[in-house]
Amino acid sequence: MSKFAKEIQIGVVAIVGIVVLYLGLQFLKGLTMFSSDNKYYVRFDNISGLTASSPIYANGFKVGVVESIAYDYNSQNQIVAVVGLNKEMRLPKESRAEIVSDLLGNIKLELVLGPNPADLAAPGDTILGGVHVGVMNMASGVVPQIQAMLPKLDSILTSVNMLLADPALKNSLHHIDDITGNLTKTTNELNKLTSSLNQQMPSMLKNADGMLANANEFTHQLNELDLATTMAKVNNTLQNVEQMTAKLNSKEGTLGLLMRDPELYNNLNSTMIHADSLMIDLKQNPKRYVHFSVFGRKNK
């Protein structure tokens, strides 16, 4: 009898140990056997690594856990997850559940609450689920494009390497150094010229002011001139010149006769020739015209 009692005790202890172990494992998974959470169903097309015991968050706060996941064979490509939410959690209708994964690969379920908080879903209702389009999902969409670009990038890098290996590029770089040095020298000279101009600018402005003052004074003097009287005198002078020119062109008057009478010109010309001959003869034979005698003049 005592031996039978010991076997019963060992059996009871083993059963209790198994139950405690099971409950401990469920607790570590985030599940509770005697939980009073409200159960809802979430329908997915793809669970993307979501498992039982994955946490459920609403606005960043944990409000429940995924209790189980089952494939719905009656509906093609449909997966249903049973989720347990805290009884105090009010789930509006038209809410959604999105699968979110972080950079470390941890997966959770994020509730996107519906727009009307007064219209609540009842426990046991089914809501729609999906996959959150985050950085990882965007990156996975970009990967095929990057793979398609890799051959082009390789070709571009090959061309760049060939260009860098070309000796002409090195020579061009040396010329660029020379050009840069010349530009630096030119810039320094321009800075010196600018500095010199800045120093001379006050005197230049002063001279310009003086020139403007002189111009203003000259303009003022011009304004003060009696242009009408001056123009009248100029016209008078021009009329006198015209009259004198007319008289010169006519045969009236001495100057007109001198300019117009050819006979007078010929006579004057002949007189000048005779006078010239007389002067030549006077130089050659002065005794013929002038006689000096100490004792008196002799008769020829």
Side-chain angles (χ1 to χ4, degrees):
M1 184 71 180
S2 60
K3 182 179 179 181
F4 183 73
K6 288 181 179 180
E7 291 178 352
I8 293 176
Q9 291 177 358
I10 292 172
V12 170
V13 171
I15 293 172
V16 170
I18 293 171
V19 171
V20 171
L21 179 63
Y22 177 76
L23 293 177
L25 291 175
Q26 296 298 316
F27 178 77
L28 292 176
K29 291 181 180 180
L31 301 175
T32 54
M33 294 300 296
F34 307 104
S35 173
S36 59
D37 293 343
N38 292 329
K39 289 182 173 52
Y40 296 89
Y41 298 93
V42 184
R43 190 175 294 275
F44 294 96
D45 293 330
N46 186 351
I47 59 173
S48 298
L50 184 70
T51 60
S53 74
S54 294
I56 303 173
Y57 291 87
N59 298 327
F61 186 81
K62 184 178 179 181
V63 294
V65 68
V66 178
E67 294 185 355
S68 62
I69 299 175
Y71 189 85
D72 187 358
Y73 293 97
N74 296 323
S75 298
Q76 187 177 6
N77 298 329
Q78 291 291 315
I79 301 173
V80 178
V82 180
V83 299
L85 301 180
N86 192 298
K87 292 186 67 173
E88 297 181 1
M89 178 65 193
R90 298 176 178 272
L91 186 66
K93 289 183 178 180
E94 300 182 8
S95 296
R96 298 180 69 255
E98 294 184 349
I99 300 172
V100 180
S101 59
D102 56 20
L103 296 176
L104 298 178
N106 299 319
I107 296 177
K108 63 181 180 179
L109 201 61
E110 185 76 28
L111 293 177
V112 181
L113 303 180
N116 188 2
D119 189 11
L120 302 177
D125 287 349
T126 301
I127 63 175
L128 295 177
V131 179
H132 177 70
V133 182
V135 176
M136 298 300 295
N137 300 98
M138 293 174 64
S140 62
V142 174
V143 168
Q145 300 179 5
I146 295 176
Q147 290 178 347
M149 291 173 61
L150 286 178
K152 297 180 180 179
L153 290 175
D154 184 63
S155 176
I156 292 171
L157 290 176
T158 303
S159 300
V160 171
N161 290 329
M162 293 176 61
L163 179 62
L164 292 176
D166 192 350
L169 180 61
K170 296 181 180 179
N171 295 330
S172 300
L173 292 176
H174 288 301
H175 291 313
I176 289 173
D177 291 337
D178 296 336
I179 293 171
T180 304
N182 293 332
L183 288 175
T184 303
K185 184 178 179 180
T186 304
T187 303
N188 293 331
E189 293 178 354
L190 286 175
N191 290 333
K192 291 179 181 178
L193 178 60
T194 304
S195 177
S196 176
L197 287 176
N198 290 333
Q199 293 177 358
Q200 296 177 5
M201 189 61 68
S203 60
M204 293 173 63
L205 292 176
K206 186 176 180 181
N207 294 333
D209 292 338
M211 293 173 62
L212 289 174
N214 294 333
N216 292 331
E217 184 179 357
F218 179 70
T219 305
H220 180 68
Q221 292 177 358
L222 286 178
N223 291 331
E224 291 180 350
L225 289 176
D226 191 355
L227 293 179
T229 304
T230 304
M231 291 304 296
K233 292 179 179 180
V234 170
N235 291 332
N236 229 351
T237 304
L238 291 175
Q239 289 177 0
N240 293 333
V241 171
E242 289 177 357
Q243 291 176 3
M244 186 178 70
T245 305
K247 288 181 180 180
L248 289 174
N249 291 329
S250 68
K251 294 183 179 180
E252 298 178 358
T254 304
L255 292 176
L257 290 173
L258 287 173
M259 295 177 64
R260 294 291 180 179
D261 191 355
E263 186 178 354
L264 180 60
Y265 169 76
N266 293 329
N267 292 333
L268 287 174
N269 192 21
S270 177
T271 303
M272 291 299 296
I273 292 172
H274 286 90
D276 184 59
S277 300
L278 179 61
M279 291 299 295
I280 292 171
D281 187 61
L282 179 62
K283 289 181 180 180
Q284 292 177 355
N285 304 301
K287 294 180 180 181
R288 183 181 296 176
Y289 300 96
V290 180
H291 298 278
F292 294 95
S293 178
V294 178
F295 303 101
R297 180 178 179 182
K298 292 181 178 180
N299 293 326
K300 291 183 178 180

